[in-house]
């Protein structure tokens, strides 16, 4: 019975890590749209290239943090959480 509980813990941690990495899709799409719009703006008004580029890079850096947070959560769910949850299970059942 204990092996089944540990298997469920490991499986749920793996599923959670996979679900967290879905958040990596958002920054990619958002940054792609930002770069496309910046290229359009520079094409229409080339003299504003410096301002548009600076603002676009700042926005892309902020958008990328979402993907990095998702990566950190996924790594924690793969490497840290299973051991913690198994320890909690062992302490609960008294082994």
């Amino acid at each position: 019975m204990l092996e089944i509980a540990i298997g469920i813990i490991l499986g749920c941690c793996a599923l959670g890590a996979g679900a967290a990495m879905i958040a990596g899709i958002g920054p990619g799409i958002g940054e792609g749209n930002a770069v496309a719009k910046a290229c359009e703006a520079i094409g229409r008004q080339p003299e504003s290239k410096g301002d548009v580029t600076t603002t676009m890079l700042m926005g892309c850096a902020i958008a990328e943090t979402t993907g990095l947070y998702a990566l950190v959560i996924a790594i924690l769910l793969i490497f840290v959480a299973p051991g913690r949850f198994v320890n909690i299970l062992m302490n609960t059942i008294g082994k």
Side-chain angles (χ1 to χ4, degrees), residues 38 41-43 45-58:
I42 292 170
Q45 291 185 340
E47 65 275 3
S48 67
K49 178 182 178 186
D51 293 336
V52 171
T53 303
T54 303
T55 305
M56 179 203 60
L57 289 175
M58 183 61 71

Side-chain angles (χ1 to χ4, degrees), residues 59-78:
C60 285
I62 292 170
E64 188 64 31
T65 58
T66 306
L68 293 175
Y69 290 146
L71 177 64
V72 168
I73 295 299
I75 289 172
L76 288 174
L77 281 171
I78 291 172

Side-chain angles (χ1 to χ4, degrees), residues 19-44:
M21 287 312 299
I22 291 174
I25 295 171
I29 293 171
E31 289 173 19
N33 287 337
V35 171
K37 296 298 181 180
C39 288
E40 285 179 23
I42 292 170
R44 290 182 183 167

